[in-house]
Amino acid sequence: DCRARLVSVGELFRHHLNIGGVPRRFFFELLSFFAKAEHEAEKLREMASAAGQEELYSYCNRMRRTCIEVLQDFPSTRGNIPLEYLFDLFTYLQPRAFSISSSELSHKGEVHLTVAIVNYTTRMHVPRVGVCTSWLASLSEGPAQAL
């Protein structure tokens, strides 16, 4: 857990912060304060407003844009986000829940999981994979894996 020890900013982004998730309205509102280009700040504020909800839905939710893709679309924000705002802007990765599909009676000392591998292409033709399921899918078949 990164809250209990010091970690690098790189480790935060690779293992702890949800940078691949679809951002919520507050993300756009907060990001608008860090846009150096006024037209970008204005667009971010517009999408964060009550009147801009339909545009936000079309831009973000319908297209399944991630936080990283939004940052790419608003380049004047890059390098301008103070470290103390990272935890306001990005949420923590949430634990993944999987179904245990085995019985202690049948498989003593083992746990078998039923997992649907997340792998799809967005409307923008960008491939997406699940945070944990892509790792699980990369494991080789064979003897039991210690997790």
Side-chain angles (χ1 to χ4, degrees):
D1 187 330
C2 68
R3 292 169 274 197
R5 63 182 174 83
L6 292 176
V7 297
S8 69
V9 172
E11 185 178 342
L12 271 176
F13 281 106
R14 281 190 305 277
H15 301 293
H16 303 286
L17 297 178
N18 188 14
I19 61 173
V22 175
R24 302 210 185 272
R25 182 173 156 184
F26 179 71
F27 178 91
F28 290 85
E29 182 180 350
L30 187 56
L31 192 61
S32 72
F33 291 100
F34 307 120
K36 295 293 183 196
E38 184 53 39
H39 71 281
E40 289 183 15
E42 186 177 314
K43 190 65 168 174
L44 289 162
R45 284 191 298 270
E46 180 184 322
M47 286 195 282
S49 72
Q53 290 309 285
E54 188 174 319
E55 182 179 1
L56 176 63
Y57 181 82
S58 294
Y59 168 78
C60 201
N61 296 80
R62 186 172 294 137
M63 302 308 277
R64 304 289 303 156
R65 275 192 175 83
T66 65
C67 294
I68 292 298
E69 290 167 337
V70 172
L71 291 174
Q72 291 169 343
D73 287 348
F74 294 91
S76 78
T77 62
R78 282 183 270 163
N80 294 319
I81 302 168
L83 287 176
E84 59 266 21
Y85 286 94
L86 287 182
F87 299 104
D88 296 321
L89 203 55
F90 301 101
T91 60
Y92 278 103
L93 282 172
Q94 297 301 307
R96 288 352 195 209
F98 296 103
S99 298
I100 296 176
S101 55
S102 60
S103 166
E104 177 71 17
L105 298 174
S106 299
H107 304 282
K108 192 140 187 87
E110 294 181 8
V111 173
H112 298 205
L113 300 176
T114 299
V115 178
I117 304 300
V118 177
N119 187 348
Y120 66 97
T121 302
T122 68
R123 290 181 182 205
M124 297 183 316
H125 305 289
V126 177
R128 293 277 194 264
V129 295
V131 173
C132 188
T133 61
S134 61
W135 175 77
L136 287 171
S138 74
L139 297 175
S140 60
E141 286 188 39
Q145 300 278 334
L147 301 178

